[in-house]
């Protein structure tokens, strides 16, 4: 158990819908990263938040957005869903803003768009 | 930005043999190199990492070596066991970079 929690575990929804994925970082960690992993693919970095502020953006679509709240949990919002958005979505947390510190991953949310 | 290449993409070994996975990176300023193990449908787990001030680090059956001059680092697993079967990802980052740059993964299969 990494100490990072994600809900829900599974999500099945229809094209065009909107969903929200939730992540709670390890105690003491201020950074939250979001990654997308499509079937048999690598880890695509989406976005990073540190202490409530957006720090870095990766390959995140305009239909996706995220935020980090004062209690440091983060939410990833996916809208106008398409079949190709079906994937595992992981969040990871780290103590620092810089990428050269350990990142610990949550169990992931499996999103299926039908 | 940083570019991390990982080889091989698949690797099969007999139980008890050693496995080696290699990664190269492009940014000479990178100074942090973690390795993650991901079992099917599970989260990536940090199994070992190394910083650029050392050349090798061991933890029981796993070790990582770093060659800063050649800009490559490797994961070594000795006495492989079936439970070592998974996808392994290398990554690199540096101070001031906001994220890890991941390799494309190696699917390791340990044949009993």
């Amino acid at each position: 158990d990494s100490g990072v929690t994600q809900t829900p575990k599974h999500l099945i929804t229809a094209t065009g819908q909107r969903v929200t994925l939730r992540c709670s970082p390890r105690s003491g960690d201020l950074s939250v990263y979001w990654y997308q992993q499509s079937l048999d693919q690598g880890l695509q970095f989406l976005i990073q938040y540190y202490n409530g502020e957006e720090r870095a953006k990766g390959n995140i679509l305009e239909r996706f957005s995220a935020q980090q709240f004062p209690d440091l949990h983060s939410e990833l919002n996916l809208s106008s869903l398409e079949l190709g958005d079906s994937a595992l979505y992981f969040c990871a947390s780290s103590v620092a803003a810089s990428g050269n510190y350990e990142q610990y991953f949550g169990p992931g949310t499996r999103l299926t768009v039908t | 930005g940083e570019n991390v290449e990982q080889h091989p993409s698949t690797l099969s070994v007999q139980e008890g043999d050693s496995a080696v996975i290699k990664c190269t990176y492009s940014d000479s300023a990178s100074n942090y190199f973690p390795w993650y193990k991901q079992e099917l449908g599970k989260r990536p787990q940090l199994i070992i990492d190394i910083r650029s001030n050392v050349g090798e680090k061991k933890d029981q059956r796993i070790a990582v070596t770093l060659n800063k001059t050649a800009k490559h680092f490797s994961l070594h697993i000795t006495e492989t066991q079936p439970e070592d079967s998974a996808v392994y990802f290398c990554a690199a980052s540096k101070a001031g970079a906001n994220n890890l740059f991941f390799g494309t993964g190696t699917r390791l299969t340990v044949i009993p």
Side-chain angles (χ1 to χ4, degrees):
Chain A
D1 185 0
S2 65
V4 180
T5 60
Q6 287 186 250
T7 57
K9 276 189 176 179
H10 302 279
L11 202 46
I12 302 174
T13 189
T15 54
Q17 294 299 303
R18 172 189 170 94
V19 297
T20 297
L21 313 183
R22 182 186 169 110
C23 168
S24 292
R26 293 187 324 154
S27 176
D29 285 357
L30 298 178
S31 257
V32 170
Y33 299 81
W34 286 97
Y35 293 89
Q36 180 192 56
Q37 187 175 44
S38 301
L39 188 63
D40 280 345
Q41 297 294 310
L43 293 157
Q44 294 292 322
F45 167 65
L46 297 178
I47 197 165
Q48 180 210 10
Y49 278 82
Y50 177 77
N51 204 20
E53 295 191 2
E54 181 186 306
R55 285 294 295 247
K57 272 188 173 179
N59 300 320
I60 189 166
L61 300 171
E62 286 193 12
R63 300 183 285 109
F64 296 0
S65 65
Q67 53 186 327
Q68 187 179 29
F69 294 87
D71 66 352
L72 300 176
H73 91 271
S74 178
E75 293 180 357
L76 179 67
N77 302 295
L78 315 177
S79 61
S80 302
L81 285 167
E82 302 175 359
L83 294 177
D85 297 328
S86 296
L88 264 172
Y89 290 84
F90 290 103
C91 75
S93 76
S94 179
V95 65
S98 179
N100 63 337
Y101 284 82
E102 294 86 347
Q103 289 187 24
Y104 295 92
F105 282 76
T109 292
R110 182 174 295 281
L111 173 65
T112 303
V113 182
T114 63
Chain B
E2 176 66 278
N3 181 42
V4 178
E5 295 190 357
Q6 183 172 349
H7 300 281
S9 57
T10 61
L11 179 60
S12 291
V13 300
Q14 292 288 332
E15 182 178 356
D17 287 350
S18 295
V20 180
I21 303 170
K22 299 180 179 181
C23 289
T24 60
Y25 60 99
S26 61
D27 189 342
S28 57
S30 287
N31 62 357
Y32 176 61
F33 308 93
W35 285 89
Y36 287 84
K37 174 185 179 182
Q38 186 179 27
E39 297 175 19
L40 191 61
K42 301 284 183 66
R43 65 183 174 91
Q45 276 186 281
L46 178 64
I47 56 172
I48 195 167
D49 57 10
I50 191 169
R51 295 190 181 272
S52 59
N53 57 340
V54 296
E56 184 175 4
K57 185 175 179 181
K58 285 185 180 179
D59 183 3
Q60 300 183 340
R61 295 186 298 108
I62 60 173
V64 56
T65 58
L66 171 65
N67 183 325
K68 288 187 291 184
T69 304
K71 290 191 283 187
H72 68 69
F73 57 111
S74 300
L75 178 71
H76 304 254
I77 306 175
T78 59
E79 300 172 22
T80 53
Q81 301 168 4
E83 52 265 38
D84 294 328
S85 295
V87 177
Y88 291 81
F89 291 97
C90 64
S93 191
K94 64 182 180 182
N98 291 108
N99 57 290
L100 285 170
F101 296 88
F102 282 91
T104 49
T106 297
R107 183 176 301 277
L108 173 66
T109 303
V110 179
I111 304 164

